[in-house]
Amino acid sequence: MPVQSLPSRSAVTSRLRAAGCVFAEDEADLLLSAGLAPNELIIAVQRRVDGFPLEHILGWAEFCGLRIRVEPAVFVPRRRTELLVREAAGLLCVVAAEPAGPAGTAPSAMPSTPQVLVDLCCGSGAVGTALAALVPGVEVHASDVDPAAVQCARLNILPVGGAVHEGDLYSALPARLRGNVDVLAVNAPYVPTASISNMPYEARVHEPRVSLDGGPDGLDTQRRVIAEAAAWLRPGGHLLIETSRRQAPLTAAAMVCGGLSPRTSTSAELDGTVVIGKLL
């Protein structure tokens, strides 16, 4: 019986391009380098043609230079969310530059107690995992209401020393974190309900609705996060929320009502927008 050979790069690329994959060549390279047997590769290509997210097929997504495990039916981390990570890392690193002793003494290399980061609405845990890599010594906690997301996040966050909690927003977190969180990094769902139908097929069909649908104006979950943030942040702590440019003024206004002083960061390179609120 003849041994089946791997389809050629050009054949895989042609199939993906015909299916409408914008980055057909790159996707073909990833599938061909995944170490799949010929029959497995044929099935994988067909799944991609049928609209399955590439990351669910591969089992991982590239994010902040890391390979993040992504299980089926779990939200796939987007490159735009790297702006949230950049801003959070910058705030966490600021503490290391603050003087820790009497005047004239050198600044401490690290804070005397670990900084506390919470990755709320964590999905796969990509944000918490990336920040653990960027800011050594940070105490990472992540939470999500979706059991599938929690299971996936544990595959990413537990190996870097973090903890993952299942439940609705802050109710999932250990009580000892209340008033002691340095940075709350949040990628809550912010797509308006009426806009879900306009999303790419692979997102609206293969990613959980709870990770996408932000209510009529997209800010339902954001408002809930903001309303309780001051009770969980330490004085001077920060809440960072990914949102869209159009929604950013509404997110910022909600932060003012929640007792936070907001500013907005955008990145044309990443097509990302993050509203950052400081607890004074």
Side-chain angles (χ1 to χ4, degrees), residues 140-179:
V140 177
H141 293 267
S143 74
D144 203 287
V145 71
D146 182 4
V150 169
Q151 181 178 350
C152 182
R154 286 177 175 150
L155 297 175
N156 292 308
I157 290 181
L158 266 59
V160 298
V164 183
H165 315 281
E166 182 179 336
D168 185 31
L169 300 180
Y170 301 101
S171 67
L173 300 177
R176 68 176 179 82
L177 297 184
R178 194 176 182 90

Side-chain angles (χ1 to χ4, degrees), residues 5 36 45 85 109 163 171 251 267:
S5 60
L36 301 174
V45 172
V85 172
S171 67
T251 304
S267 169

Side-chain angles (χ1 to χ4, degrees), residues 170 184 186 225-226 229 233 237-241 255 260 275-277:
Y170 301 101
L184 278 165
V186 185
V225 168
I226 292 166
L233 290 170
H238 291 83
L239 167 65
L240 298 88
I241 296 183
M255 285 192 180
L260 305 173
V275 179
I276 303 160

Side-chain angles (χ1 to χ4, degrees), residues 83-206:
L83 178 62
L84 180 67
V85 172
R86 289 180 190 177
E87 293 288 350
L91 292 169
L92 289 165
C93 289
V94 162
V95 177
E98 294 176 351
T105 61
S108 172
M110 289 294 292
S112 56
T113 58
Q115 297 167 278
V116 177
L117 162 77
V118 172
D119 177 4
L120 211 59
C121 304
C122 69
S124 65
V127 170
T129 303
L131 284 166
L134 289 169
V135 189
V138 68
E139 180 181 336
V140 177
H141 293 267
S143 74
D144 203 287
V145 71
D146 182 4
V150 169
Q151 181 178 350
C152 182
R154 286 177 175 150
L155 297 175
N156 292 308
I157 290 181
L158 266 59
V160 298
V164 183
H165 315 281
E166 182 179 336
D168 185 31
L169 300 180
Y170 301 101
S171 67
L173 300 177
R176 68 176 179 82
L177 297 184
R178 194 176 182 90
N180 293 304
V181 177
D182 292 276
V183 169
L184 278 165
V186 185
N187 185 14
Y190 58 90
V191 180
T193 302
S195 299
I196 297 289
S197 60
N198 298 325
M199 295 187 70
Y201 175 87
E202 61 191 69
R204 58 186 166 83
V205 172
H206 295 290

Side-chain angles (χ1 to χ4, degrees), residues 1-17:
M1 189 173 191
V3 177
Q4 189 175 20
S5 60
L6 284 173
S8 68
R9 180 179 186 272
S10 61
V12 173
T13 300
S14 295
R15 286 215 64 200
L16 296 177
R17 187 181 291 115

